[in-house]
Structures are given as structure tokens and as C-alpha cells.
Amino acid sequence: MVETRERPLSLSYRRPSDRSERRVLQEVLDDLHLDPQSDLAEVGSGFGLGLISLLFIGPVALLVAWLLQFATGVTFGSDQAWLAAAALWLAGWSGMSAVKVMARRGRASALRRAITADIAEGDVQEESWRFVEAIGFQEAEKMPLLYIVQADNGRIVAFEETRLTGRERQPGEGFTSAAPADAVLVRGIRSGVLISENYSGPTLPLVDVQPLALPREERPLHGSVVDRPWASMGPWLSGRSTVA
């Protein structure tokens, strides 16, 4: 049951950053360097996967075409046409990897600009949270959990268990919730980069533990505010729905 208050205790405000907070932002900015070799390796990996799949699919396609030609007398493409089809297949696999690389570079460039603006402006956003309800999500029997917690003002925040506890849960270890009840988060105004996190009070019991099926790159980041309805968290993270 979600606790209700006439005046939510969760609030956020903008304030000047201190030296340690600016240092954290600068360290994150310094880590956002481009790695052309890694990008080329990813495109090459896409080409390699395309080549491997072609080695399996190509002979089957040729056999089917030969059987159809034998049965009907119709020629299904010349040698040049088959070579062109193979080239397009490989180009498609390489192209998909290249698109992923460009998208990642675009996100990194946007984040660099936002962090640079945060450092230049010299302000951060400090958020005080009072959480009242928590749900856990996990991949099959794997740990750690992803916690989705709802604040007393209705906002939703995601937390990774390893970031909360500083360690990974051991196999066979008894389960106890690490969902925070109170937190103070400091983040960049424009970038949203989490600069510091502090937790207090008892941990929240979990309303439920559900399967986590959403791909890792699509999951909410630790400490990020999730702009979705509370009722949609389960279907979204368990892969039953993709509607925002």
C-alpha cells in the first residue's frame, strides 16, 4: 500500500557544486574518449557474424534453388546475382554494427556536451527522496536485483543492488531486500550524471519480485528517475509490454 502524505518529503533543488563534485564530473568527462579501434572491431564482428551465417544459409539456399530449377526448369538467378546477394547480406550485417557504433558515438557526444555545460555552469541538482514502495526484478535465478522504488511524491527511481550494497550476492545467500527508504542523490543539472548517493533509514520490503527480461541496454540506469506509470513497471521490465 502506497503511503500518502499531504506534503511529500521528497524534494529537489539546485545549488552550487563543490570541488569534489566538479572533480567527479570531470573524471566522467575524461572517461568518455572515443575508441576507433573498438568501433572498427565491432563492425568487423558484425561482418564476421554475417559471414558465419552465410556459410550456413548459403548452401541451403543454393540447394533449394537447384532443386526448384531441376523440378521446374526455371533458372533462379545467375552466378553474378548470387554473388551480389551474398555481398548485400554481408553489407547488411556490417551496416547494422556501424549504425550501433554511430548511435553510441552520438549518445557519448551529447553526454560530453551536457557534462561540459554542467562544469561550466557550476551547479548541481540535489534530491532528497522518501521511498514508500519497492519491487524487485531479476534475471531468472541470477543476482543482483534491479529495484524499482516509488517515492511519496509518486516519482519512480531505479537502483542496482550491487551499487547499493557494494558487492554481489553470493550463491545460496539468504535474501534480504536492499531497497532504500531514504536517499540523497546529487546529479548534474543537464547531464543527469549521478555524482553522489547517500542512503539512510531501514530498507524497504519488496512488494513483489518479478522476472527481468528487458535487454540490458534498455534498462534504467542506477539512480535514474523513470518517467513511466508505476503500474507499467512490471509489464515493461518483464518484457510483456513495450508501451511507455
Side-chain angles (χ1 to χ4, degrees):
M1 187 71 181
V2 177
E3 183 179 351
T4 59
R5 292 184 173 88
E6 291 185 1
R7 276 192 180 176
L9 298 180
S10 298
L11 54 90
S12 64
Y13 60 94
R14 180 170 178 160
R15 64 165 174 79
S17 59
D18 60 30
R19 182 179 301 176
S20 64
E21 291 165 341
R22 291 191 294 272
R23 183 173 63 251
V24 171
L25 288 172
Q26 186 62 55
E27 290 173 353
V28 174
L29 182 62
D30 292 341
D31 288 338
L32 289 174
H33 60 275
L34 299 177
D35 188 354
Q37 290 184 344
S38 177
D39 294 341
L40 289 174
E42 184 169 344
V43 175
S45 176
F47 178 86
L49 289 173
L51 183 60
I52 292 172
S53 64
L54 186 61
L55 292 176
F56 285 96
I57 296 173
V60 175
L62 288 172
L63 178 60
V64 172
W66 181 82
L67 290 174
L68 289 174
Q69 180 177 341
F70 180 79
T72 64
V74 178
T75 300
F76 291 88
S78 62
D79 291 343
Q80 290 78 7
W82 284 100
L83 289 174
L88 287 174
W89 178 267
L90 296 175
W93 279 86
S94 302
M96 286 189 294
S97 297
V99 168
K100 291 180 180 179
V101 168
M102 295 303 296
R104 185 173 65 245
R105 283 196 169 213
R107 291 192 296 269
S109 296
L111 183 56
R112 286 181 63 88
R113 291 193 297 270
I115 295 175
T116 300
D118 285 337
I119 296 173
E121 292 179 10
D123 285 350
V124 294
Q125 179 171 298
E126 183 166 319
E127 304 165 353
S128 297
W129 294 96
R130 170 65 58 87
F131 300 114
V132 295
E133 192 170 19
I135 303 175
F137 293 86
Q138 70 180 63
E139 295 176 310
E141 297 302 321
K142 297 179 182 178
M143 293 295 178
L145 288 176
L146 174 68
Y147 294 101
I148 300 296
V149 292
Q150 185 176 26
D152 59 353
N153 62 0
R155 303 299 302 277
I156 298 168
V157 184
F159 294 102
E160 296 176 8
E161 184 175 82
T162 51
R163 294 285 297 273
L164 293 172
T165 63
R167 66 181 184 88
E168 291 195 12
R169 190 184 299 275
Q170 300 301 313
E173 180 180 347
F175 175 76
T176 55
S177 172
D182 296 274
V184 176
L185 307 179
V186 178
R187 69 179 81 245
I189 295 286
R190 296 181 181 275
S191 66
V193 169
L194 188 61
I195 298 172
S196 66
E197 49 192 303
N198 292 282
Y199 307 99
S200 60
T203 58
L204 289 176
L206 298 182
V207 175
D208 192 14
V209 177
Q210 300 184 25
L212 179 59
L214 198 68
R216 181 169 298 276
E217 61 273 11
E218 298 179 20
R219 298 173 193 172
L221 299 176
H222 173 77
S224 63
V225 177
V226 183
D227 190 19
R228 286 174 178 262
W230 177 253
S232 73
M233 290 294 101
W236 174 48
L237 290 169
S238 62
R240 301 192 302 271
S241 173
T242 58
V243 179

